[in-house]
Amino acid sequence: MPSHVYLVEAKKQTKLITDETDVNVLYFVNTDQIELRLSAIPEITAGLREAVNHWDGGRVLGFVQERSLHLAIEIVTDVGSYLIDGFILRDASSYEDIIEIVHEAGAFDEESYNVFMELVPLRKPLVQDYYAWDRTSLHPITSQLPDVLDRFADQVRLYLEHELGPFKNPAAGSN
């Protein structure tokens, strides 16, 4: 049997590999769901850039920043969870674990890892303690995040291509 067998399904990219012990391992990576999340990054980075470039301490840009930070956290952790589940990586016990596990697997670089480790602790204040979130101040991570998120999307796509081989981007439509 060949060591690499690919089966592409409507919602998953599947890869059968033979590891060093000649044991077949079958991965089910939901590349459609990963790509849906990655394809939302341009809107989020646009919101973050808008907040940085036009910051006035007002309510509207405060909410733009708040929602963009929240969605950035959700995208990074959702994509990380799909990678962990699909590649059968070790279980994560926290949002920080998700970032650490996926970084250790080589899905993104050290700079992104450091920014994401600053980002994910903001989830609780943004989601649970939203009433106390300071909407009048520009959070320092807001200016760093757009470039890091853009790079994250590129790096995850390259990681998937390296691990699974080329696959069709569902957001690009059929050719």
Side-chain angles (χ1 to χ4, degrees):
M1 177 175 224
S3 61
H4 297 283
V5 177
Y6 298 92
L7 169 65
V8 179
E9 299 174 1
K11 296 220 181 258
K12 295 181 178 130
Q13 176 110 358
T14 306
K15 182 176 182 181
L16 176 65
I17 66 164
T18 302
D19 68 11
E20 302 80 35
T21 60
D22 289 330
V23 174
N24 287 334
V25 179
L26 187 61
Y27 294 126
F28 294 99
V29 181
N30 196 331
T31 55
D32 285 356
Q33 289 300 313
I34 291 171
E35 186 56 43
L36 282 173
R37 282 149 180 82
L38 294 178
S39 68
I41 287 176
E43 283 186 315
I44 294 164
T45 58
L48 292 165
R49 287 184 176 108
E50 181 81 15
V52 169
N53 293 333
H54 302 286
W55 188 256
D56 60 4
R59 185 177 308 139
V60 172
L61 288 178
F63 280 124
V64 168
Q65 173 186 235
E66 182 178 356
R67 183 64 174 156
S68 296
L69 289 172
H70 175 212
L71 290 176
I73 295 165
E74 297 303 317
I75 285 173
V76 170
T77 56
D78 283 356
V79 167
S81 292
Y82 279 112
L83 293 172
I84 288 169
D85 291 347
F87 290 110
I88 315 169
L89 303 173
R90 70 177 170 89
D91 288 337
S93 62
S94 67
Y95 290 103
E96 289 84 353
D97 276 355
I98 293 170
I99 301 305
E100 184 177 312
I101 292 165
V102 176
H103 173 256
E104 288 172 357
F108 54 84
D109 64 30
E110 188 74 18
E111 181 185 351
S112 299
Y113 169 78
N114 291 331
V115 172
F116 295 153
M117 291 303 278
E118 290 179 44
L119 176 66
V120 295
L122 299 179
R123 188 176 191 284
K124 185 176 186 222
L126 288 166
V127 174
Q128 295 176 5
D129 301 330
Y130 55 86
Y131 50 85
W133 182 261
D134 181 6
R135 292 177 189 88
T136 64
S137 298
L138 187 65
H139 194 282
I141 205 166
T142 302
S143 61
Q144 296 176 289
L145 206 49
D147 291 339
V148 172
L149 286 172
D150 288 338
R151 193 169 59 250
F152 171 75
D154 293 340
Q155 290 175 345
V156 167
R157 288 178 179 119
L158 286 172
Y159 175 77
L160 287 170
E161 188 170 325
H162 177 263
E163 295 297 321
L164 299 173
F167 64 94
K168 209 176 229 186
N169 176 346
S174 57
N175 293 333

